[in-house]
Amino acid sequence: MVARSFCLAITIEESLIGTSFLNWSGIGTGGTATLDIVFLGQPASAMRVACIALMVAGIVGWKLV
């Protein structure tokens, strides 16, 4: 918990708080969903994979704009 807060604080210093929170929440959500599929045996349906890909694409797009 302390390490996560420290990493978020570093991220906020480097960019806007909205961008930092978008990255933080998107990476956490996408990472958790991916780990569920890989390690916990959740079904990797096309819709789940597409949603994770859209989330990643949104974060990348936000950073490019």
Side-chain angles (χ1 to χ4, degrees):
M1 177 97 174
V2 173
R4 289 186 301 163
S5 298
F6 179 72
C7 290
L8 181 59
I10 291 171
T11 305
I12 289 173
E13 288 179 3
E14 297 294 322
S15 61
L16 300 171
I17 193 161
T19 302
S20 298
F21 192 72
L22 173 75
N23 290 335
W24 188 256
S25 60
I27 291 169
T29 304
T32 302
T34 302
L35 290 175
D36 279 349
I37 292 169
V38 173
F39 293 113
L40 299 178
Q42 293 291 323
S45 66
M47 185 60 87
R48 284 185 190 210
V49 174
C51 288
I52 293 170
L54 283 172
M55 196 171 1
V56 171
I59 292 170
V60 170
W62 184 273
K63 292 292 281 183
L64 293 176
V65 173

